[in-house]
Amino acid sequence: MTRIREASPGDVDALVRLNGMVQRLHARHRPDLFVDEPSEAGMAERFRGWLRDEASTLLVAESDEGDVVGYTFCRVERRKGSLNTLPATVVSMEHLAVDPGSARSGVGAALVEGVREVGRRAGCRRLVASVWEFNDAARPFYQAIGLRPMQVRMDQPL
């Protein structure tokens, strides 16, 4: 049974390891945007900063053996309305990573449910997430758990 809990400073090494797997995927597909191997010390400090940030939440998935097998990072965003849009409070899922050995075992879905709960407690009405077009594993996963495309962002080298 996977247990979802808030991350702690003792989880930083596992978070850096899991983030590295996703980072390498991004760098492989978009080397024009992503570095291959960001500094582990820099990433560790980034995670420590997110742990201190009250608007951010880092959740980890822990296996029965106590190993961190996935994580998600989310933020509650209070968006002002404009002439064209309504004000909204949303929970934005910025990162989601699952160890390949735990893929397709419900870890990702449990982490997303944890993000939903963070959003509900904060009064959010929506969960938003971004996924890269090249991420053939993530797009069907997000759709299977109920997320739908909201906006398509396109780019072109100049």
Side-chain angles (χ1 to χ4, degrees), residues 11-25 36-41 43-44 47 60-63 66-71 97-102:
D11 297 317
V12 167
D13 288 344
L15 295 168
V16 169
R17 176 184 60 80
L18 289 163
N19 178 265
M21 293 184 298
V22 175
Q23 181 70 27
R24 285 186 289 282
L25 172 74
D36 280 331
E37 297 288 334
S39 154
E40 286 190 13
M43 286 306 302
F47 281 113
V60 295
E62 200 173 64
S63 70
D67 298 322
V68 174
V69 295
Y71 85 93
V98 174
D99 187 279
S102 297

Side-chain angles (χ1 to χ4, degrees), residues 25 64 79 96 103 112 125 133 141 149 155:
L25 172 74
D64 290 338
R79 299 176 178 175
L96 179 65
V112 173
R125 297 190 61 198
E133 179 64 24
F141 165 75
D155 79 332

Side-chain angles (χ1 to χ4, degrees), residues 2 5 21-23 67 70 78 103 120 135 139 145 147 149 154-155:
T2 302
R5 62 172 174 78
M21 293 184 298
V22 175
Q23 181 70 27
D67 298 322
R78 287 169 176 55
R120 288 181 194 109
N135 199 335
R139 284 183 290 108
I145 61 168
L147 280 81
M154 302 171 82
D155 79 332

